[in-house]
Amino acid sequence: MAKSYDVIVVGSGACGGWAAMELSKAGMKVLMLEAGSHIDPAKDFQHRFLYQMEYRGQGKPGLLRRYAGSERNYRIMIDNEENPYTTSPETVYRWGRSRVLGGRTLHWSRASDRMADYEFKAASRDGYGMDWAVSYADLTPYYDRVESFIGVSAAMEGLPQFPDGVFLPPMPLNCAEAIFTAACKSLGWRSTHRRLAQLTRMHNNRPPCHYCGNCSNGCDVGAMFNTVAVTLPPALKTGNLEVRTDSVVARVRMNNENRAQGVTYIERYSMKPVDVDSKYVILAASTLENTRLLLLSAKGGLANSSGTLGHYMMDQVGGGGVSGILPKLKGGPSRLDDGKAAGITIPNFQNIDKKTERKDFIRGYVMNATGGQTEYPQFAASLPGYGSEWKKEVKSRYVAQARVWIAGGEMLARKENFVELDPEVKDHWGIPVLKIHFTHCDNDRKIIADFQQKAEELFRKAGGEVMPGSVRRSESGRRGALGGSIHEVGTARMSADPKDGVLNSFCQTHDIANLYVFGGNAFPSTGDKHPTLTMMALSARGCDHLIEQAKGKKV
């Protein structure tokens, strides 16, 4: 007799891990399905210097064409040959993905920012697009819950456009960050520590960060938030969670009562299809993979009575930036500047109210800055010279490196940015892949151009010396690669009216009562903040709704 489950959770990233924990702790029998391999941090995450690696971090010739990432972390990324995707002729897009237990939480930037009230109501302010079906007040208790559990190091600032939360002490600024902070003050810009899901003290039986700088390669001690270290242990402890890795979900199956009956997955290595049933299904396999599953599960897309499924894809605008050196630090002693992998944040200060309204573009962006010694002097290859004098100059500049980059530029939601199933290309398991149609609009380009001007202004005010060729301007009309932020959202947006979107305010599909979609899908707009914390807060809210619904209560 087949095992009975209350909930199937597809995906093990931030939202899938949170859902598995919340629902199993509530007494529900949960099955988590992960397409990638199992991970054991004690065995799989190691500290290795570049000189200890066979290919000095560059990877075996040809290897990194198949895998994203580096020689250190390619195993927790994705096999691009097994998992292709396609793009339309006008699209240049990098879809950064990870298929492994824990997903992108194993190597994410850890930025954990709350969206502000003005971002949820952006359409009411400037007339573009659609407001969210939730407000900041609706999400506040869920932001509190998530931050309290995962641990976010940050400083209280009292800025309405950059809401404070439940914080651990911030990490100390390094020398370059202190210089940039002073420069911001001279310009009249507010700045603060980057808000990171990275512990500065013992928290929920997890040790604080020991500043090894290995964050993008998997944290071996669990000091940064990730599913494997933080949400799975308490979920497994309940005895209510079963995890199956190497299980490639192919579709959601429906019954005759317009309810999701369960899913069909394919065993990764045997290629055997397996059907599993449950009372509820949660798709939490990342934004575009969730949408792909909905498109695969019914002609025209499952839960798509609105016709909006796949449309209004967004990924915060990137590009531009400045890098160089801070002469004040040149020739100084070696320091562990990149151990905490942090920086400072300059919150958006444009288009947040009538006083700061711009005439040339709508919405806004957040900037980051940091500097100091890194593991490898990437600039060395572009520095002219040779011999001992050249080596001395590299060493002198090594500790003075600095950069300013865009953290979250708001991309406008447009129907013509969409995903669909490719009619010809299939993945390793014979499942149709996504075809992505994605371009910038004029407002996106204006945001990048304005950021570039502000970034150069900040760098000059800090006394920075720009490295030749380091200023990366995104020219109007230039086809630059998009998607580097890995902040893709939309394609199944939330709406108050079922005619306008796929999900309601609880991330439950309007059309199918027992089908939920957790991740960035629900976003009607990107805002100017990193999206992960908001995704997790929405997931926490959705879990509460599902639990109440399972009890038979009207919600």
Side-chain angles (χ1 to χ4, degrees), residues 345-416:
T345 287
I346 300 97
N348 182 32
F349 50 81
Q350 302 180 105
N351 290 327
I352 58 177
D353 52 29
K354 285 291 183 183
K355 185 178 178 181
T356 58
E357 187 175 317
R358 292 284 298 254
K359 302 299 182 184
D360 49 343
F361 63 85
I362 59 173
R363 314 297 165 90
Y365 57 88
V366 172
M367 294 191 289
N368 286 338
T370 191
Q373 184 174 324
T374 55
E375 182 179 31
Y376 183 76
Q378 299 286 351
F379 67 86
S382 60
L383 188 67
Y386 62 92
S388 60
E389 291 304 313
W390 177 81
K391 292 178 181 178
K392 288 177 183 177
E393 186 62 21
V394 169
K395 185 176 181 180
S396 175
R397 292 170 177 251
Y398 190 30
V399 295
Q401 297 173 100
R403 66 187 181 105
V404 180
W405 73 100
I406 191 167
E410 179 156 358
M411 174 177 279
L412 297 184
R414 296 185 294 133
K415 191 172 185 179
E416 56 265 38

Side-chain angles (χ1 to χ4, degrees), residues 197-497:
Q198 192 168 341
L199 305 186
T200 51
R201 66 185 182 198
M202 197 76 179
H203 183 73
N204 288 342
N205 295 316
R206 292 162 50 211
C209 178
H210 54 269
Y211 304 128
C212 70
N214 205 51
C215 304
S216 63
N217 305 317
C219 181
D220 59 333
V221 298
M224 66 176 249
F225 167 75
N226 65 81
T227 301
V228 176
V230 184
T231 47
L232 280 188
L236 290 167
K237 189 176 181 180
T238 66
N240 292 325
L241 173 65
E242 179 185 342
V243 178
R244 296 185 194 175
T245 54
D246 300 313
S247 303
V248 183
V249 177
R251 66 187 180 99
V252 177
R253 291 179 294 106
M254 296 290 291
N255 64 18
N256 295 326
E257 299 174 352
N258 194 40
R259 291 180 68 84
Q261 181 173 330
V263 305
T264 297
Y265 70 86
I266 300 172
E267 292 181 344
R268 183 179 178 189
Y269 297 111
S270 74
M271 308 294 279
K272 175 187 174 183
V274 180
D275 290 344
V276 284
D277 295 346
S278 63
K279 297 174 184 176
Y280 294 88
V281 173
I282 295 174
L283 301 183
S286 83
T287 297
L288 297 189
E289 284 291 355
N290 289 340
T291 298
R292 180 189 178 199
L293 283 170
L294 292 172
L295 291 170
L296 287 165
S297 299
K299 186 177 180 180
L302 193 61
N304 191 28
S305 63
S306 67
T308 60
L309 179 66
H311 293 278
Y312 303 102
M313 176 183 167
M314 299 160 280
D315 190 332
Q316 291 179 318
V317 295
V322 185
S323 61
I325 66 169
L326 297 175
K328 291 180 182 178
L329 303 180
K330 193 174 177 182
S334 293
R335 296 180 301 270
L336 183 63
D337 286 317
D338 63 344
K340 63 190 178 75
I344 68 164
T345 287
I346 300 97
N348 182 32
F349 50 81
Q350 302 180 105
N351 290 327
I352 58 177
D353 52 29
K354 285 291 183 183
K355 185 178 178 181
T356 58
E357 187 175 317
R358 292 284 298 254
K359 302 299 182 184
D360 49 343
F361 63 85
I362 59 173
R363 314 297 165 90
Y365 57 88
V366 172
M367 294 191 289
N368 286 338
T370 191
Q373 184 174 324
T374 55
E375 182 179 31
Y376 183 76
Q378 299 286 351
F379 67 86
S382 60
L383 188 67
Y386 62 92
S388 60
E389 291 304 313
W390 177 81
K391 292 178 181 178
K392 288 177 183 177
E393 186 62 21
V394 169
K395 185 176 181 180
S396 175
R397 292 170 177 251
Y398 190 30
V399 295
Q401 297 173 100
R403 66 187 181 105
V404 180
W405 73 100
I406 191 167
E410 179 156 358
M411 174 177 279
L412 297 184
R414 296 185 294 133
K415 191 172 185 179
E416 56 265 38
N417 280 347
F418 70 100
V419 297
E420 61 179 345
L421 296 179
D422 191 291
E424 299 177 355
V425 181
K426 293 180 172 59
D427 66 15
H428 178 72
W429 301 274
I431 306 170
V433 306
L434 280 186
K435 184 174 184 178
I436 300 171
H437 303 254
F438 200 63
T439 60
H440 270 313
C441 68
D442 286 342
N443 196 78
D444 301 333
R445 285 187 277 269
K446 288 176 180 176
I447 280 182
I448 295 172
D450 191 76
F451 154 72
Q452 186 63 43
Q453 183 265 319
K454 296 290 194 304
E456 293 178 35
E457 185 179 1
L458 174 59
F459 208 81
R460 288 193 300 269
K461 180 60 71 171
E465 178 183 314
V466 177
M467 292 288 289
S470 74
V471 177
R472 301 179 298 279
R473 291 186 176 87
S474 297
E475 303 294 343
S476 178
R478 179 183 171 188
R479 292 176 68 219
L482 311 180
S485 296
I486 321 181
H487 293 172
E488 66 272 10
V489 295
T491 68
R493 67 183 184 181
M494 68 163 60
S495 61
D497 189 330

